[in-house]
Amino acid sequence: MSANKAARIGEEVWKTRIDKVNAELVTLTYGSIVAQLCKDYEGDYIEVNKQLEKMGYNIGLRLIEDFLAKTNMGKCINFKETAETISKIGFKVFLNITPTVTNWTTDGKQFSLTFEENPLADFVELPDDGRAQNELWYSNLLCGVLRGSLEMVQMQVDAHFVSDVLRGNEVTEMRVTLIRTIDDELPPGED
Amino acid sequence: MTIYSFYIFDRHCECIYIKQWHQQDKFRPTSSAGPSGTDSPASLTGDGKRSSAGSTLLRSNDTNPSRPGGRLSVQDDAKLIFGVVFSLRNMVRKLSGPEDSFISYRTGAYKLHYYETPTNLKFVLLTDVKMNNLRVVLHQIYVNLYVEFVVKNPLSPVEHHGGEGVAVELFEMGLDGFIRTIQD
């Protein structure tokens, strides 16, 4: 499946089959979740990253079913197609953004998503305590969502941010690595 | 046009939902007794499915007292059906590539319709032989009922060990209504 076709499907599904909510509602809700986590963990941003990833993971486990139901997608042939599908259909239908797929490694198992826009991070400034800028990955929920949803379609991946405009980097970039393909489980033997 | 039963299997090969609309005497001509001609929905309850107790033929359990005529219990039926679709699906894939999946098969007495999602959920419907292909119906059950009422139900767990969280009222009612529209 070509990138163009993916873009077309994404556009089509987003226009016809998706209930929309106010973007600011999403931004503010997500913001208050992160703020609350920072409070709960008393500024332990490493732990906040972890919790966000975990929340995302649990979202991903369910979101994939909704994604499949709405888009009627079948299995991707290879990881390249998966990347295009994530960017042009997945992010499109749920967040109305299409992060760019770049920086493929030659073995085709690792790519980057760069976000020109990120609705989760609108209006956000990281706390000015000298640590958040270096430790907090504000949108880490998204990494978890990818990990959870891909796990359900038999791909174990690692996803993490490597840069974020909120930290003063030039781009927001997420690195996604395919670790392995999960085999079908076999039924328990009759013994 | 009759629909006999409906099964869902999850990615751990576990049967997470069973529904039967008619006693299946019709496609097991050897069995004689049993209350016939009535709608008797039998839903899955948790116990006894994962336990590996002895021969399938001799097993009976509380949820389904042994039936006359050597009939299998509902759970054992489910196990056999899983075995059939699992093997068929793997064979089909070996023969014609991983993209392919089998859609249905027919015997002299019943027809089995199959739909599998990319997340390895398997939906199975048993009907009489005259029924048209119901793959679309299974897909609709997944999209409009399973995803809406089971996956999106915040109180339902992600994994459905022992069928937990699947047989919610909205899903049951939706399924029953939907199947009725096909039978008529």
Side-chain angles (χ1 to χ4, degrees):
Chain A
M1 185 182 62
S2 69
N4 281 338
K5 193 181 165 209
R8 222 171 41 240
I9 296 174
E11 191 70 37
E12 170 73 22
V13 173
W14 183 76
K15 269 193 190 139
T16 54
R17 267 178 261 175
I18 300 290
D19 296 326
K20 321 283 191 297
V21 293
N22 186 304
E24 288 184 18
L25 176 69
V26 177
T27 310
L28 298 178
T29 310
Y30 184 69
S32 35
I33 288 173
V34 181
Q36 188 63 46
L37 282 173
C38 290
K39 250 183 227 151
D40 289 353
Y41 290 95
E42 295 162 350
D44 181 352
Y45 296 121
I46 307 296
E47 190 57 34
V48 174
N49 290 342
K50 251 186 229 157
Q51 291 301 321
L52 284 173
E53 207 272 350
K54 207 159 132 194
M55 289 162 77
Y57 174 75
N58 286 320
I59 293 172
L61 294 180
R62 293 178 191 244
L63 196 67
I64 183 69
E65 304 283 5
D66 191 37
F67 173 81
L68 294 169
K70 288 213 165 89
T71 61
N72 207 359
M73 293 287 294
K75 282 204 161 130
C76 294
I77 303 165
N78 52 36
F79 201 46
K80 291 228 154 116
E81 194 178 306
T82 308
E84 291 299 334
T85 307
I86 291 168
S87 146
K88 306 236 164 31
I89 309 181
F91 275 103
K92 176 70 189 178
V93 300
F94 291 118
L95 287 178
N96 193 22
I97 54 173
T98 46
T100 317
V101 181
T102 54
N103 292 337
W104 278 100
T105 51
T106 44
D107 62 358
K109 288 192 169 168
Q110 216 179 92
F111 64 92
S112 289
L113 289 169
T114 53
F115 296 79
E116 283 84 34
E117 46 182 344
N118 177 2
L120 296 185
D122 287 343
F123 324 123
V124 174
E125 272 179 44
L126 297 184
D128 209 3
D129 57 5
R131 288 186 303 113
Q133 302 272 345
N134 297 321
E135 294 173 6
L136 179 63
W137 293 113
Y138 183 82
S139 309
N140 219 29
L141 184 98
L142 297 178
C143 298
V145 173
L146 284 195
R147 183 167 71 90
S149 47
L150 289 177
E151 184 182 304
M152 292 296 276
V153 284
Q154 294 95 46
M155 278 173 273
Q156 192 187 347
V157 300
D158 170 75
H160 61 271
F161 278 102
V162 289
S163 67
D164 190 339
V165 286
L166 293 180
R167 292 180 169 205
N169 303 121
E170 276 183 14
V171 287
T172 303
E173 176 178 345
M174 188 201 289
R175 197 81 186 133
V176 184
T177 313
L178 176 66
I179 299 170
R180 69 184 180 106
T181 313
I182 302 165
D183 293 332
D184 288 346
E185 284 182 42
L186 295 172
E190 284 277 338
D191 39 24
Chain B
M1 302 289 209
T2 320
I3 291 181
Y4 299 132
S5 54
F6 171 69
Y7 302 81
I8 306 176
F9 303 93
D10 72 1
R11 63 188 176 126
H12 308 298
C13 310
E14 190 179 344
C15 182
I16 55 172
Y17 187 77
I18 299 176
K19 181 104 177 164
Q20 298 189 319
W21 281 275
H22 296 86
Q23 286 291 325
Q24 294 170 26
D25 297 338
K26 282 175 194 161
F27 73 90
R28 287 178 195 276
T30 46
S31 66
S32 51
S36 58
T38 50
D39 262 26
S40 56
S43 279
L44 171 68
T45 50
D47 43 326
K49 282 191 318 352
R50 281 235 146 179
S51 66
S52 49
S55 143
T56 46
L57 275 170
L58 294 175
R59 244 184 80 204
S60 68
N61 52 41
D62 305 340
T63 58
N64 226 342
S66 56
R67 301 188 221 164
R71 290 268 305 266
L72 302 178
S73 74
V74 174
Q75 269 86 25
D76 286 337
D77 271 350
K79 269 191 190 172
L80 283 178
I81 285 168
F82 181 82
V84 169
V85 297
F86 186 79
S87 314
L88 262 179
R89 153 193 186 274
N90 289 349
M91 272 189 272
V92 166
R93 284 186 179 181
K94 280 229 168 79
L95 281 169
S96 58
E99 288 304 288
D100 203 16
S101 174
F102 91 94
I103 293 163
S104 66
Y105 75 78
R106 217 187 94 170
T107 70
Y110 71 97
K111 188 168 174 184
L112 181 147
H113 310 257
Y114 179 70
Y115 171 72
E116 182 177 351
T117 73
T119 49
N120 275 357
L121 276 168
K122 299 172 180 65
F123 293 78
V124 175
L125 204 53
L126 296 191
T127 68
D128 69 64
V129 289
K130 288 196 228 63
M131 193 64 87
N132 291 327
N133 192 317
L134 293 185
R135 192 179 160 85
V136 180
V137 166
L138 289 173
H139 182 249
Q140 280 174 336
I141 290 175
Y142 169 62
V143 170
N144 296 328
L145 299 172
Y146 187 81
V147 172
E148 288 301 311
F149 300 134
V150 179
V151 176
K152 290 192 189 171
N153 175 5
L155 296 179
S156 151
V158 178
E159 303 283 359
H160 306 282
H161 294 301
E164 188 192 352
V166 182
V168 290
E169 203 174 329
L170 283 170
F171 180 73
E172 295 262 351
M173 275 165 34
L175 182 66
D176 223 35
F178 188 45
I179 293 295
R180 251 171 243 286
T181 62
I182 301 160
Q183 301 221 59
D184 300 334

